[in-house]
Amino acid sequence: MSDPYAHDADRYWSDDHPVLELLRARAGTAPGARPDGCKLGLAVEGGGMRGVTSAAMLVALDDLGLRGAFDAVYATSSGAINAAYFLAGGDCWYPLTIYFDDLATNRFVDLRQMFTGRPVLNLDYAFGEVLETVKPLDFERVLKSPVELHVVISEVDSLAAIGPHEFESREDLKSALRASCWMPVAVPGAGVFRGERVLDGGVLTAHPHLAAIEDGCTHVLSLSTKPIKPPPPRLTPGRRYSVAYLERLRRGLGKAYAVSQARYREQRRRLQRWMIAPGDGVQVLDLAPLPWMREVANGTKSRDALVTAAREAHAVMAAAVQGVPVQELRDGSFRSVPRITTVRTADGRRIG
């Protein structure tokens, strides 16, 4: 088979991929009994500020009338917050602006704290202010959603990945979302969920589509936040540092993280081949920014970079679903333009 990363052909997915065909067939439908007999999962990756990418792809799904197409959602890190806003309903463009209006600030990302033992990512600000009062997340609507939200979390002491989806209260759900965002190194120590020490779901589940497969999905739309390109053959220096950090936190945790990353590097190569020539078994479509598009880092604070990344990710999703040739994305003849809208607020809370 030809190299799946050969970019000259501009072919990154098959226009008639089974996941795309199932999505199109379900356009405008609502969750419930499905006549197709399939279980369609939505996997949403995060990664700090990289989550702007998956947030924008969710906006595109909403714009295309596909919010109700999924049977379950599986998400990690900031992708879990994106997924919660998606399931809460309302205008998806509005929470997307959290990244460039509310998080692109030293109040949330402060790289100067890297070697001080204080958080680089301020979860207290994100969960205590942004999700509560600045751009409130309707936790009750998420809890009542007919689509299950599986928040992928890594348990430190058991070395186990969990994906809770039955939440007792808004605080239980909020605690799960916060736990999944507890990014090693960027947030020192460990969080707590239901009495257990926990970390970002990506530590032991390299990508949430793996949780979707394990849960019995027949089809998975996977939203990745890193551009499509060959994964590094081995751990990068930054990830090697994370391995050492995790080993200090709990013996065996760093090794488990390294194994998870190695398996995913190999699997992403297979995923790219399957997107072009789908085989038998579970069907996974892994959409991500294309190789020439802007890559956002975990701690990116440039508003221009974040807005550009959002526009490009939205266009990728829209092009895939609508069968638009990738060449039109490359030459700019097909592009996404963010909406500008007005909202009325009272006491800092959105109305309507």
Side-chain angles (χ1 to χ4, degrees), residues 7 18 125 139 146 213 276 335:
H7 304 147
Y125 167 67
F139 289 94
I213 294 173
I276 298 171
R335 66 181 70 184

Side-chain angles (χ1 to χ4, degrees), residues 254-315:
K255 180 179 179 181
Y257 167 72
V259 169
S260 175
Q261 290 294 313
R263 288 175 177 169
Y264 178 59
R265 286 196 300 275
E266 178 55 35
Q267 187 182 48
R268 194 161 191 195
R269 294 186 182 93
R270 295 197 302 270
L271 278 178
Q272 189 60 29
R273 292 196 297 269
W274 294 340
M275 286 168 65
I276 298 171
D280 297 328
V282 178
Q283 299 294 328
V284 180
L285 180 72
D286 184 43
L287 294 180
L290 297 174
W292 63 87
M293 293 181 172
R294 179 73 66 95
E295 182 169 3
V296 172
N298 295 347
T300 294
K301 290 192 292 185
S302 165
R303 288 175 174 83
D304 287 344
L306 292 166
V307 172
T308 297
R311 290 178 56 193
E312 292 177 338
H314 185 279

Side-chain angles (χ1 to χ4, degrees), residues 105-115 118-122 185-188 299:
T105 167
N106 283 343
R107 289 202 67 192
F108 180 62
V109 181
D110 191 348
L111 298 178
R112 296 170 300 180
Q113 306 298 340
M114 179 65 73
F115 301 107
R118 292 191 290 269
V120 172
L121 301 181
N122 187 345
V185 182
V187 187

Side-chain angles (χ1 to χ4, degrees), residues 43 74-76 150 152 162-163 205 207-217:
Y74 308 80
T76 56
H150 296 246
V152 183
I162 61 173
T205 302
H207 196 287
H209 84 267
L210 300 169
I213 294 173
E214 185 176 336
D215 195 46
C217 289

